Amino acid sequence: MYGPEQPGLIIGHYGASVDVEADDGQIFRCQQRQNLDPVIAGDKVIWQVVDKHSGVVNKLLPRTSVLGRPDKRGQIKPIAANVDQVFIVIALKPKIIDSLLDSYLVAA
């Protein structure tokens, strides 16, 4: 029997499973229901505990924003959701490529 439904935050994505942070700070490795759209880091969800270390994601809550990048076919692939701030850090060596910085700024 599963535990009660509760809110959580997706903090990692590992193929078919995701890490969900509960309100108390505990982290659970969860599977998501097949009828859900794919979840990404930053998504707020409703989930249930299955056992001491795992659970199941039942519902994806509405996103306020999505940070994405184009894939090989030119379609936008979401990377993170509900992003409030973005920090862009680039090393001085090797030489900075201006177009790379431009593409990060446009994505942000």
Side-chain angles (χ1 to χ4, degrees):
M1 182 166 162
Y2 294 167
E5 287 189 332
Q6 58 185 306
L9 176 68
I10 303 294
I11 60 170
H13 194 280
Y14 307 98
S17 61
V18 294
D19 280 351
V20 175
E21 182 178 13
D23 284 344
D24 65 2
Q26 285 186 291
I27 298 172
F28 293 81
R29 183 65 51 100
C30 297
Q31 302 297 316
Q32 75 176 54
R33 298 269 185 214
Q34 290 183 353
N35 61 342
L36 291 179
D37 289 334
V39 295
I40 54 177
D43 273 332
K44 295 175 183 174
V45 297
I46 300 296
W47 70 286
Q48 292 176 284
V49 172
V50 172
D51 62 32
K52 191 175 180 179
H53 301 289
S54 64
V56 61
V57 175
N58 295 327
K59 182 178 181 183
L60 172 63
L61 299 176
R63 296 172 175 158
T64 57
S65 64
V66 176
L67 179 63
R69 66 173 177 81
D71 63 12
K72 294 177 184 178
R73 290 174 265 136
Q75 297 176 338
I76 300 299
K77 177 182 177 182
I79 297 172
N82 304 316
V83 177
D84 294 327
Q85 293 182 351
V86 176
F87 294 93
I88 299 171
V89 179
I90 296 179
L92 293 175
K93 292 184 181 180
K95 184 181 176 209
I96 297 173
I97 301 170
D98 293 334
S99 61
L100 181 62
L101 176 58
D102 290 346
S103 64
Y104 288 157
L105 289 171
V106 168

